[in-house]
Amino acid sequence: MIPEKLVKVAERAQNALEQMPIDQRVAFIKKKSHVWRAFKRHLRAMSYGKCWYSEAMGPQSPYDVDHFRPKSEAQRADNEKDDGYPWLAFDWDNFRYSAERSNRLSTDEETGQTFGKSSWFPLVPNSPIACWDNRCTKQEKPLLLDPTRKADVALIDVGSDGRMIPSKTCTQAGKERVKASVRFYGLDLPDILAARRQVMIDLGDEVDKLLLLIADAMEAERAGDPNLIEMHRKTITGWTLPNRPFTLAARARLIELGLPELLAGPEDQLAIAA
């Protein structure tokens, strides 16, 4: 829950911004960066410390409060940019808790390709473009997936090799959005790809242990140790809870192994929220 006092601070900054001449807006926004930074720990709590874009989690990974729609400049293409969305600089609905590797520009040392969202905010062809005098953001069609929209999250999945891929229900337009998001959020950079793959490997090992216990019990024509079997089941289900890193990868691995019944359900999620 966002404290009301933080919301009020943001509202006051917004009201001041609305009264400013155009040539003073960018400087004012930069001066007031403490406003959105104050939201960080509350945004972090919403995702159990995970980056909203990558699901990565780590105490040595710096995190930012990203503006999904860039506050001072929007890069639409390599040679195309505009003033972005300054009126959303203090709108906490526009904030996303993001690892630096997803939010800031960086270079893949293996390929030399640049990754990171930074001020990039491309739109699909022929999309309306919102501006200060016409704030039609609801009519815009962003190319990047928004982690706060269920419909967007449903477009992306994890392949058997750990790479991010379009989901089975993705249309061609959706596939283009997934491709752009993987690039700009750096979702398949070597370090994060290795971490995601490790989750899938470790989960597979736990599944092997469970199946071996069940097989041994069936071969001996006995019930086996129900407590031990249940412990392994709970451990496996735990990998798919929202407080674990790379939950989507864990879920994809279980489905691939033909064990969707071990996925965490609403009652499991309520247990960690209690």
Side-chain angles (χ1 to χ4, degrees):
M1 181 68 67
I2 303 295
E4 184 65 22
K5 63 179 181 180
L6 284 188
V7 176
K8 293 297 184 182
V9 169
E11 288 176 351
R12 287 197 295 270
Q14 178 65 30
N15 291 336
L17 178 66
E18 293 287 350
Q19 308 302 318
M20 292 207 162
I22 187 171
D23 60 343
Q24 296 180 24
R25 291 172 189 162
V26 172
F28 178 77
I29 289 171
K30 289 181 179 179
K31 181 180 178 181
K32 294 291 185 177
S33 62
H34 64 276
V35 174
W36 60 80
R37 287 174 181 164
F39 283 78
K40 181 186 287 190
R41 67 187 182 94
H42 304 286
L43 300 173
R44 180 184 185 279
M46 292 178 184
S47 61
Y48 304 95
K50 297 193 296 186
C51 169
W52 290 13
Y53 297 124
S54 67
E55 285 197 299
M57 176 193 295
Q60 291 183 313
S61 299
Y63 289 79
D64 297 324
V65 175
D66 174 48
H67 289 73
F68 180 65
R69 283 179 165 82
K71 59 188 178 299
S72 301
E73 172 186 283
Q75 188 84 37
R76 308 295 186 179
D78 288 335
N79 298 308
E80 181 184 349
K81 65 175 65 174
D82 55 43
D83 294 336
Y85 307 84
W87 68 94
L88 297 178
F90 307 111
D91 184 347
W92 76 272
D93 283 339
N94 191 42
F95 301 161
R96 308 288 182 268
Y97 185 70
S98 172
E100 277 192 3
R101 294 301 298 272
S102 289
N103 186 39
R104 305 190 188 192
L105 294 178
S106 61
T107 302
D108 183 343
E109 296 178 357
E110 294 183 4
T111 66
Q113 188 175 9
T114 299
F115 288 82
K117 180 173 175 285
S118 188
S119 62
W120 279 94
F121 199 73
L123 302 171
V124 302
N126 302 317
S127 169
I129 303 176
C131 62
W132 184 272
D133 295 322
N134 183 19
R135 304 177 185 184
C136 57
T137 53
K138 291 185 178 180
Q139 283 71 54
E140 281 189 333
K141 298 179 180 179
L143 192 59
L144 297 179
L145 300 178
D146 183 350
T148 68
R149 295 189 72 248
K150 289 184 178 180
D152 282 10
V153 175
L155 297 177
I156 196 166
D157 205 347
V158 180
S160 58
D161 62 353
R163 294 183 181 277
M164 304 304 294
I165 60 173
S167 67
K168 292 179 180 178
T169 59
C170 219
T171 63
Q172 185 57 41
K175 291 177 180 178
E176 292 299 320
R177 297 188 66 199
V178 170
K179 180 180 178 181
S181 298
V182 170
R183 175 194 167 187
F184 288 110
Y185 296 147
L187 300 184
D188 282 344
L189 285 170
D191 289 348
I192 192 172
L193 180 57
R196 192 184 300 125
R197 284 173 173 166
Q198 192 61 53
V199 165
M200 298 174 80
I201 290 170
D202 292 343
L203 180 58
D205 290 343
E206 286 294 335
V207 168
D208 288 343
K209 292 176 184 177
L210 174 63
L211 296 181
L212 185 59
L213 283 171
I214 294 173
D216 287 347
M218 293 178 65
E219 185 176 349
E221 295 185 352
R222 55 188 175 81
D225 185 341
N227 291 329
L228 187 58
I229 290 174
E230 182 61 20
M231 180 188 73
H232 278 284
R233 282 183 177 145
K234 287 184 177 180
T235 297
I236 291 167
T237 296
W239 286 87
T240 67
L241 287 168
N243 63 340
R244 297 294 295 268
F246 307 115
T247 303
L248 186 60
R251 293 179 66 87
R253 181 62 174 147
L254 274 184
I255 292 171
E256 181 184 31
L257 292 172
L259 294 168
E261 64 272 21
L262 294 180
L263 297 173
E267 67 283 357
D268 301 303
Q269 298 183 30
L270 286 173
I272 67 168

